[in-house]
Amino acid sequence: MKAVEVKQCGIWEPTQETIDATNVAWLMQRAGVDNYEALHDWSIQRRELFWESVVERLAIPFQTPFDRIVDVSEGVASPKWFPGGKLNIVESCFNAAADSTAIIYQHEGGELETLTVRELRAFASRVADGLRRRGYKPGDAIAILMPMTVECVAIYLGIAWAGCVAVSIADSFQPKEIATRLKLSGAVGIFTQDVFRRGGKSHPLFAGVKQADAPAAIVVSEGSTAELRDGDCHWSDFLGDDEDAPVAVCEPSDPMNILFSSGTTGDPKVIPWTHTTPIKCAADSHFHQNIQPGDVAVWPTNIGWMMGPWLIFSALMNRASMGLYYGSPTGAEFCRFVQDARTTMLGVIPSLVKTWRAVDAAQGLDWSSIELFSTTGECSAADDMRWLMEQAGGRPVIEYCGGTELGGGYIVSTLALPCKVGEFNTPTLGTEMVILDAEGQPADSGEAFLVPPTIGMSTQLLNRDHHKSYYAATPCRHEGDVLRRHGDQIQRIPAGGWRAMGRADDTMNLGGIKVGSAEIERVLQGVAGLSETAAIGVAPDGGPSQLVIYVVLAKDVTVDKKELMAAMQSAIRKELNPLFKIHDIIPVDVMPRTASNKVMRRVLRDQYLQHAKGCS
């Protein structure tokens, strides 16, 4: 298609016809309001009615009816959703017509292929049957270390079908980090792939699983060539025969997925999703990404990050299709897949858009099927997002910010209001947010706090104190009010809307992946010549964060900066994640510290940004 010129300010304006065609319009009618602002107020003032409307709209089947939407008798920080009810959320993924398309997928260099809802349901059932035959029981934690493929999706759904708990591990992690996640989750089995190929390179996953001393593995491989250990099983030997196995009956609060999110300590936070968390995924995407029956949702991601499960539930629970490309998403071939799959909602991370723009990856392609874009994981660069809009004739970009511990977003945009690149125009429906300054007072710029309860918010962590992590010592807006800490810095824009200003704690987003400073610093401890390191994420020109390492050299050591950076990058690649690229290293004599001897990374961020500004 011929790209059109997008306004310099990157604003998309809705028409009344546009608004009337959205899922939000249905909810306005249900709530009896005539504008979006009133709708959002209704969604937080009448929370039970809002979530009841979501359950009705998505036609979520309960095997036993619930008594009410939520019980907060133990406090809003410990809500019980759908008390008395029983369900298995996997059943909500197969409400679409059996012969409609569930997945559109393509191998590198291959042709488009499809899988129907009927076929995906049968596939997931066979996975559940295979789990039962091998002796796995409801509640067992079973890991997945695979790229996002048809098999991966069926495995994920099959684990839930059997009442087991999927443990999501990103396929980019190295054996040490795989072992950490297996131990923290208590996984008793793992699904993996022998080797997968992407961008002309082979990535041996099963070899990493063996190095991590993982429990019994079920291995997807071509021609069953993988060399198995005692207790391992080939995929072809694992699958059961029952294409309509009984679905496990679960409590709404039963875990169905364990995910990991970096905090400010060395080990990642271990976050369980329950059978209610996917309702948050589907509700967000229904009302904000406006996913409707027959749509095609594409978002290059991984089962190890929350956007992998989010995509599965957002597409299937909304009776849409998901698009999966098995190759690298960084080049023209992925962009052609977006065209050929007739994508209607394309999700991105900002650094990916920057890569596409640098090589003009969408040149000559027809993206006219796209109704909207959505972006998450990093702060957006306005110029890159304007370029993205141009590729689809000026379609809007829905900014989306949240977290694994929320099951989705807390601040986003809606098609019922003007959308401006790099800005949010609303908290998510059903979510109330306040911005407080360092003194705990309401402000236009400060830290975001959330008002519980809402579906999706975690109520426990498996490896640390949940209350201490999110509620302890938080300020109050009013007497007796309870606020939940989230850790993002948010700025209210005078003309309306909000802008993300990065993290308030010592975590960062690198390439859309949340990682703690402590995790990076830990793997750098073994690099020769270093006495101390401090990792920070900075964005001198706005947009995605860049990794900068401040270093204190060991006494009487002199090293070449390029050699030191190469050694540090090698350690990160081998022991943590090859996707984390060092942008700069800064040698210093001493680190700035608090009175209690903690490194003041915020001071280092300010120093780096001031230096970058002075050099520009």
Side-chain angles (χ1 to χ4, degrees):
M1 66 180 290
K2 182 179 178 181
V4 303
E5 182 181 354
V6 177
K7 292 180 182 179
Q8 182 63 28
C9 55
I11 296 178
W12 175 87
E13 297 275 0
T15 64
Q16 189 59 50
E17 182 180 7
T18 301
I19 296 172
D20 291 344
T22 64
N23 293 324
V24 162
W26 171 85
L27 192 60
M28 285 184 184
Q29 184 176 21
R30 173 69 182 264
V33 300
D34 60 4
N35 63 79
Y36 181 83
E37 289 81 359
L39 179 67
H40 187 270
D41 288 344
W42 172 85
S43 76
I44 58 176
Q45 292 166 4
R46 304 290 302 277
R47 290 176 192 252
E48 289 198 60
L49 186 53
F50 168 70
W51 288 111
E52 182 181 15
S53 301
V54 169
V55 169
E56 174 190 320
R57 179 71 165 174
L58 298 177
I60 295 172
F62 278 78
Q63 295 157 338
T64 301
F66 50 86
D67 300 326
R68 60 177 301 183
I69 295 295
V70 63
D71 175 3
V72 293
S73 59
E74 296 181 12
V76 294
S78 302
K80 291 182 171 58
W81 295 98
F82 311 110
K86 295 187 185 299
L87 80 163
N88 189 314
I89 199 62
V90 76
E91 293 188 287
S92 301
C93 295
F94 304 112
N95 284 335
D99 59 353
S100 63
T101 300
I103 305 176
I104 301 172
Y105 64 104
Q106 183 179 347
H107 294 265
E108 277 187 319
E111 301 294 326
L112 284 183
E113 300 179 68
T114 61
L115 199 74
T116 66
V117 170
R118 178 187 293 107
E119 291 168 331
L120 179 59
R121 186 183 185 280
F123 203 171
S125 175
R126 293 182 66 194
V127 171
D129 187 39
L131 288 169
R132 292 189 182 113
R133 286 196 311 147
R134 287 185 64 82
Y136 292 106
K137 305 178 300 297
D140 283 348
I142 303 170
I144 307 175
L145 180 76
M146 295 180 67
M148 283 286 283
T149 61
V150 167
E151 288 81 7
C152 178
V153 174
I155 288 166
Y156 182 84
L157 295 173
I159 290 172
W161 189 307
C164 298
V165 185
V167 178
S168 296
I169 303 178
D171 60 25
S172 57
F173 275 124
Q174 301 305 300
K176 184 177 180 180
E177 295 303 315
I178 296 170
T180 295
R181 284 154 176 77
L182 292 171
K183 180 180 179 181
L184 289 173
S185 64
V188 295
I190 185 170
F191 286 91
T192 191
Q193 193 163 313
D194 184 14
V195 176
F196 78 93
R197 295 169 179 81
R198 180 182 294 155
K201 297 181 179 180
S202 294
H203 303 272
L205 292 184
F206 183 42
V209 165
K210 290 188 284 190
Q211 290 178 49
D213 195 24
I218 296 121
V219 186
V220 177
S221 61
E222 297 179 6
S224 300
T225 57
E227 296 183 8
L228 304 185
R229 306 165 300 172
D230 288 343
D232 293 339
C233 179
H234 285 296
W235 174 244
S236 57
D237 296 327
F238 162 78
L239 277 175
D241 300 319
D242 193 343
E243 296 187 352
D244 192 21
V247 176
V249 179
C250 302
E251 299 286 341
S253 59
D254 284 346
M256 53 78 58
N257 193 182
I258 293 173
L259 297 106
F260 305 89
S261 180
S262 295
T264 56
T265 61
D267 280 339
K269 290 182 291 187
V270 185
I271 303 169
W273 278 16
T274 72
H275 280 262
T276 66
T277 312
I279 299 173
K280 167 65 172 173
C281 303
D284 278 5
S285 55
H286 188 79
F287 293 119
H288 295 290
Q289 281 82 12
N290 199 46
I291 297 179
Q292 300 181 348
D295 279 349
V296 178
V298 174
W299 205 317
T301 183
N302 188 272
I303 200 67
W305 311 116
M306 65 157 282
M307 293 309 295
W310 185 96
L311 177 64
I312 293 172
F313 295 121
S314 292
L316 298 181
M317 290 176 68
N318 282 300
R319 308 184 191 197
S321 308
M322 76 184 83
L324 303 177
Y325 181 66
Y326 289 10
S328 170
T330 58
E333 286 306 308
F334 173 81
C335 293
R336 183 169 296 280
F337 168 75
V338 171
Q339 167 193 272
D340 295 347
R342 303 302 294 163
T343 303
T344 57
M345 193 286 290
L346 176 59
V348 298
I349 59 171
S351 57
L352 183 58
V353 178
K354 185 179 291 292
T355 300
W356 291 343
R357 183 185 176 200
V359 297
D360 204 10
Q363 174 66 31
L365 298 179
D366 178 2
W367 278 9
S368 60
S369 63
I370 292 176
E371 296 293 334
L372 60 84
F373 301 97
S374 192
T375 178
T376 194
E378 304 170 308
C379 298
S380 294
D383 287 347
D384 292 336
M385 291 303 148
R386 282 193 288 267
W387 174 87
L388 185 66
M389 292 174 69
E390 289 173 353
Q391 309 315 303
R395 294 299 190 183
V397 176
I398 301 298
E399 299 280 344
Y400 188 52
C401 182
T404 307
E405 63 272 35
L406 302 180
Y410 71 93
I411 190 167
V412 67
S413 291
T414 173
L415 296 178
L417 298 172
C419 297
K420 185 174 182 179
V421 295
E423 297 180 7
F424 308 91
N425 64 25
T426 178
T428 50
L429 287 165
T431 302
E432 185 176 4
M433 174 193 73
V434 296
I435 302 173
L436 302 179
D437 62 19
E439 285 70 46
Q441 298 301 311
D444 287 334
S445 183
E447 187 172 348
F449 290 83
L450 308 180
V451 182
T454 192
I455 286 179
M457 283 185 177
S458 62
T459 57
Q460 66 170 321
L461 296 172
L462 300 187
N463 65 333
R464 64 189 70 176
D465 188 310
H466 187 272
H467 184 271
K468 183 177 179 180
S469 296
Y470 297 111
Y471 292 102
T474 55
C476 294
R477 286 185 308 169
H478 311 294
E479 186 69 27
D481 206 2
V482 175
L483 295 181
R484 176 181 170 121
R485 180 184 298 109
H486 185 66
D488 285 345
Q489 294 276 10
I490 297 291
Q491 179 185 55
R492 190 189 308 274
I493 302 166
W498 295 264
R499 183 180 293 120
M501 305 300 290
R503 295 288 296 176
D505 56 20
D506 290 328
T507 61
M508 63 195 89
N509 285 305
L510 301 176
I513 300 172
K514 189 178 174 185
V515 62
S517 297
E519 291 182 87
I520 294 173
E521 293 158 9
R522 184 183 64 219
V523 303
L524 296 178
Q525 290 176 354
V527 176
L530 294 181
S531 173
E532 187 178 12
T533 62
I536 61 172
V538 296
D541 302 316
S545 292
Q546 298 171 331
L547 175 59
V548 173
I549 314 289
Y550 277 77
V551 300
V552 177
L553 299 178
K555 188 177 181 180
D556 299 327
V557 168
T558 302
V559 295
D560 179 79
K561 185 175 178 179
K562 289 185 178 179
E563 292 178 357
L564 180 59
M565 181 181 285
M568 294 166 66
Q569 187 66 71
S570 177
I572 292 172
R573 181 178 64 254
K574 292 178 180 178
E575 298 185 42
L576 187 55
N577 196 317
L579 301 179
F580 300 154
K581 307 295 185 183
I582 300 175
H583 172 70
D584 198 3
I585 61 172
I586 308 295
V588 293
D589 294 330
V590 294
M591 298 288 185
R593 294 184 179 277
T594 65
S596 59
N597 208 37
K598 293 181 180 179
V599 175
M600 300 168 69
R601 296 184 184 86
R602 186 174 298 179
V603 171
L604 295 177
R605 282 193 290 269
D606 291 343
Q607 289 178 355
Y608 191 86
L609 291 173
Q610 290 172 6
H611 173 74
K613 185 177 181 180
C615 295
S616 60

